[in-house]
Amino acid sequence: MRKRPFLLLATEFLLGIVCVRGQLPAWGVLAVLLLVYTTPWKERGMRKVLFAAGLPGMFLLGMLQMQRQIDFRQQYLQKLTDGQEVRLAGKIDRIEPKTRCVYYYLKDCTVEAESQTLPCNDVIAYVSSASHSAGQILNIEGTISLFTEASNEGMFDARQFYQSQKIDFGIWVTKISRVYGKPDRYRCALQNMKKRANDVIRHSIRDDGVLSAMLLGEKGALDAEIKSLYQRAGIAHVLAISGLHISLLGMGMYRLLRKRLHTRYVTAALATTVFLISYAVLSGNGVSTQRAVGMCLIYLFADVTGYAYDMLNALGIVVLVLLWENPFLLSYSGFVFSVMAVIAIGVGANVLLEWEHSWKRRQQAGEETIKKTFFSRQKEGILVSFAIQLFTIPLVAYSYYEIPMYAMLINLFVLAVVDGLLGLTVLGVIVGMAFLPAGRVLFAPCGWMLDSYRFLCEVSLKIPGAQKITGKPAHMRIFWYYLGLGVFLLAIYACARRNEKHKDCRETADLCVSRRKKRLQGIVFSCFIAFLLLFLLFPQKKSFEIDFLDVGQGDGIYLCTGGGTSMFIDGGSTDVKQVGKYRILPFLKAKGVSEISYWFVSHTDTDHVSGLKEVLVSGYRVEYLVFAKAVEKEAKTKELAELARSHGTKVLYMQAGDTVRSKRAAMRCLYPKASDKAEDVNDLCLVLQFEEGDISALFGGDISTDVEEQLLRRRKWDKVLVFKADHHGSRYANAEALLKCIRPEITVASAGKDNRYGHPSPDAVQRIKESGSRFFCTIEGGRIRVRVIENKLVCETYVK
């Protein structure tokens, strides 16, 4: 590593950024340790200057650049509010059509707010139609639309996603007051070429938008089902323009010019450079594309000038350039995955391959040239794929909360044919532009390959254990995993060096002995890797907690007993679309909850069950679905019960007096009895009381004050520690008599922002606070979590 100065410089710069972002002095300690590791006092000449002055200098530069960018962003963001009317000027960088509008990505922007004109980062302008071109400067008037933050664990954080790409807000355009400049002919020509290529693909093959996404970065037509299938199977990386595509297309063109057409080095390199830059712009110029193109350009420079190309040094140069321009990229998963994949190949795969080759050289009695067969090449491909999986598996778990268990096996086939797939697609597009019927002939094999991709993905997901829900690993777990992985690679490297020392000795190259030693080393290393993976992916021990999810206008409550049994109450919304897919399931997976033992349904209104239906359809494991016995014959109850049974979930019915037990915990049904009747379905809600040790919690669904009065008459009440405000905090519930009787310490209302019902009602909130209870609402706090810490009941909000 000390022979790769640019990688070291990039690492110090990165540590400086992290030190400011995380406000963690530990990263500064790591930077000092890295400086000590390089031992600059032992170097001479420029290397001594580079290490002694360059490394600490880059660390300080990283800190300064990060702080400068933070201050620059805050200078104008603190003056902007959601819905504010502003004037803005910016240059169109690219145009992206969407279903309901068109996105103009603007750069070199200035925004006028509070009588001040301030420069700002990139902005997305939402317009009704694309009547302008890239390169033009727009003066616009419109309404600020700030990106939303995640309000639950696992939820997509739009603000972090866009701000990591230096896009700070959006603006709904009401008026374009002035347009300056002429369209950028170069970008317009590329855009027209992209449209023509996309039309050829669309008219030549039914591929659900896969080929357009793979070749052109055009994901607007990509089928959501196919995207989800590829992601769950672990091959979604082929849909993104990354190093795989750039190396196949760019390096393929360079080798064609050099070896087939015998073009001069400089000419071939210049032609390839123009092609790569044009392709990057055409395909959207994503961060992964920029990284890959940058490394390819460094390779071309080294090949023309006669310098040796080093993958990790090239990575260091590109990372330095990208992070200097945008230090927020460390929060962008696409950038992190791209960089880690290169490190996996440059470090992990090289070490594994060197270990494998050292045994071959030892067995071939010191021959430098290793005889490669078909099977040995396949083994090398497996080792490279294995290295990438080892390095990226923590990132997959951290980003998606689950890992595809058979991804490595599927990728062996996917990567083996992807070069042919891309090559045929490019050839088909070129031929199709000239004569479409001929292009369709070339696209036929592409369809067969895509069918095989889909078949493999579907089959792999049907195998038991196809996906492992891991939860979101803690940062320290990831740190210890990578530290252990480093120790593993050092051990393999030491073994390879030892084999190199004995490669010329026929006495020590006895085949039987060598094979036994190799097998023994393989077993030891495999056990160590298995231990590392178990340490990373084994779920943490669960303890008592109640989580009131922010599902908008609705209810969704996760409850975990002290013994680790997972329960859920309701799960639906009337103002959040696909709440099960985008809020409930991500939360459960982020928590590492692989199944729900009991899912209680207070009643079947949409705001309580819409997300539950999505969860059942998704195939997520729910052992028991529990309804009130009084509504067993209701049409909506029967429909939901049938849906649950069709997906392997058992259905139970409860009435007042019934109890579901799990070790020391109990969930008691207080209401209704099987014989109870009511005109309003809300008054037949399942009312539940959870008890475990000294902890008690009351969940009443959407009951009214009439039912609350019945509950007070039917039983004696002890103090309730946690109370879920009835009917989202309605003024027609949460009566003073009930509150005085149960005397809750914590009351939580679940409601949607600006809902038309006025929930939670100011009258109800006042009654709750006058009862001595602390009041929380998901509108302000997002997810509300209740836990016991050091024998004290603690309530935490997700949004600070």
Side-chain angles (χ1 to χ4, degrees), residues 601-764:
V601 179
S602 67
H603 63 303
T604 54
D605 280 356
T606 300
D607 61 331
H608 290 255
V609 299
S610 62
L612 167 59
K613 292 178 180 179
E614 296 169 33
V615 171
L616 292 171
V617 171
S618 74
Y620 184 84
R621 172 71 175 156
V622 177
E623 190 172 359
Y624 293 101
L625 193 63
V626 186
F627 296 95
K629 182 73 173 175
V631 297
E632 180 179 4
K633 296 182 180 179
E634 294 287 335
K636 289 184 177 180
T637 304
K638 290 181 179 179
E639 179 186 347
L640 186 54
E642 185 59 34
L643 177 66
R645 291 190 185 99
S646 68
H647 288 88
T649 298
K650 300 173 184 177
V651 178
L652 299 177
Y653 298 92
M654 296 183 77
Q655 62 175 328
D658 291 344
T659 302
V660 171
R661 297 186 181 276
S662 176
K663 297 182 180 179
R664 296 180 301 163
M667 184 72 84
R668 306 182 191 281
C669 179
L670 307 182
Y671 177 88
K673 295 179 180 178
S675 58
D676 284 338
K677 305 290 183 182
E679 294 183 3
D680 189 347
V681 67
N682 287 347
D683 285 341
L684 289 178
C685 276
L686 197 61
V687 179
L688 302 166
Q689 183 171 13
F690 173 80
E691 296 175 344
E692 184 174 13
D694 296 331
I695 302 168
S696 61
L698 181 63
F699 309 95
D702 285 355
I703 60 173
S704 64
T705 52
D706 291 340
V707 176
E708 291 176 350
E709 291 174 1
Q710 292 185 49
L711 289 172
L712 293 176
R713 291 195 301 267
R714 288 186 182 185
R715 59 167 292 170
K716 293 183 178 181
W717 287 87
D718 295 323
K719 181 178 175 65
V720 172
L721 296 181
V722 183
F723 174 52
K724 201 283 291 184
D726 293 333
H727 205 166
H728 315 286
S730 168
R731 64 175 176 168
Y732 302 110
N734 310 286
E736 183 179 353
L738 176 68
L739 294 168
K740 284 184 177 180
C741 184
I742 63 176
R743 295 167 291 134
E745 284 191 17
I746 295 171
T747 301
V748 179
S750 176
K753 185 178 180 180
D754 300 325
N755 66 84
R756 61 190 179 93
Y757 309 102
H759 296 158
S761 163
D763 295 339

Side-chain angles (χ1 to χ4, degrees), residues 3-31:
K3 296 179 180 180
R4 298 183 172 98
F6 289 106
L7 181 63
L8 289 171
L9 291 172
T11 304
E12 285 284 357
F13 188 81
L14 183 149
L15 288 173
I17 292 172
V18 175
C19 196
V20 173
R21 283 188 61 219
Q23 298 179 344
L24 299 175
W27 296 106
V29 174
L30 284 177

Side-chain angles (χ1 to χ4, degrees), residues 10 103 122 175 254 305 325 408 535 622 629 637 706-707 728:
Y103 285 12
D122 297 352
K175 180 182 179 182
Y254 182 65
T305 57
E325 172 62 25
M408 188 175 73
F535 168 77
V622 177
K629 182 73 173 175
T637 304
D706 291 340
V707 176
H728 315 286

